[in-house]
Amino acid sequence: KKSTRIAAGVGRVVGFIFIIGGVYWIFTGNTFNGIWIAFIGWFLENAAVSSYQQVAIQDVLKGHTAREIMVSDCVTIPPELTIDRLVNEYILASGKRCFPIVESGLITGLVTLHNARALPRDKWAATRVKDIMTPLAELKTVSPTEELTKVMELMASGDINQLPVVENRNIVGMVARDNLLNFINVRGDLGG
């Protein structure tokens, strides 16, 4: 962590030197090169800050698991539920946007507000959630013992807002992006 902090500091200093040099070139009449050098300096400074922030976040998450931040009281729904009932009885009533589909005690997929919105409203009463859900085979899931660094990587790489926490095809919880961000903020406020 210390070496990353030093490298980020050096990168920021080099970036500021480029910015100052670019501004100097602009005022001495070499406008195009000055803007270009200042832009490179701005890029270097931002890259240095971002790399340090990434290492700091990974350090905060290291050693912590999905079990620590997951919501374990997930509302599950049966696959035969119609979309109009999903929207009216679950989404609007709870404000939640994502529900695991469970059949015979095992997760079979996930249905989201996005899935429902993609279907024309006049088909909601005749369409079941199992017809529009994302099947388990296509879902990214994590185990309760998955490191939070891996959870963050999965969410970021797939632009995923929530991940089912699954153990032996049983849904044991959900990790939402908000849970992860809140954990990072609280740990940061506590000093790591």
Side-chain angles (χ1 to χ4, degrees):
K1 189 173 175 179
K2 184 177 179 182
S3 61
T4 304
R5 187 178 316 145
I6 291 169
V10 169
R12 291 188 75 193
V13 168
V14 169
F16 284 130
I17 290 171
F18 270 64
I19 292 170
I20 291 168
V23 170
Y24 173 77
W25 278 23
I26 291 170
F27 286 119
T28 59
N30 199 344
T31 306
F32 179 75
N33 287 339
I35 290 172
W36 187 244
I37 294 295
F39 177 74
I40 291 171
W42 173 78
F43 178 79
L44 288 173
E45 196 274 335
N46 279 332
V49 169
S50 294
S51 66
Y52 180 70
Q53 286 174 340
Q54 185 176 13
V55 168
I57 288 172
Q58 287 177 345
D59 190 47
V60 165
L61 297 178
K62 191 174 184 163
H64 296 281
T65 63
R67 185 183 313 277
E68 295 176 56
I69 67 167
M70 72 181 188
V71 175
S72 57
D73 60 345
C74 294
V75 175
T76 62
I77 57 176
E80 300 300 323
L81 189 74
T82 60
I83 305 307
D84 61 345
R85 286 192 57 208
L86 167 72
V87 171
N88 293 319
E89 296 174 21
Y90 290 87
I91 294 175
L92 292 175
S94 70
K96 293 184 180 178
R97 304 166 67 91
C98 174
F99 297 91
I101 311 298
V102 173
E103 188 171 23
S104 301
L106 302 175
I107 183 170
T108 59
L110 196 71
V111 66
T112 66
L113 175 63
H114 178 72
N115 298 126
R117 233 185 359 214
L119 188 70
R121 279 186 194 243
D122 61 340
K123 295 186 179 186
W124 283 10
T127 306
R128 298 165 299 177
V129 292
K130 73 177 184 179
D131 299 326
I132 66 164
M133 73 178 187
T134 304
L136 181 62
E138 296 175 20
L139 285 176
K140 292 196 185 313
T141 63
V142 294
S143 73
T145 58
E146 192 79 59
E147 287 247 347
L148 288 181
T149 51
K150 178 69 173 173
V151 172
M152 183 180 74
E153 287 172 19
L154 279 172
M155 287 182 155
S157 68
D159 194 25
I160 299 169
N161 288 323
Q162 55 272 326
L163 283 170
V165 182
V166 177
E167 193 169 42
N168 300 323
R169 281 203 57 205
N170 290 310
I171 181 92
V172 293
M174 292 287 285
V175 173
R177 190 175 292 197
D178 293 348
N179 303 122
L180 189 60
L181 293 175
N182 187 48
F183 182 83
I184 291 168
N185 286 334
V186 170
R187 293 283 299 171
D189 289 347
L190 292 173

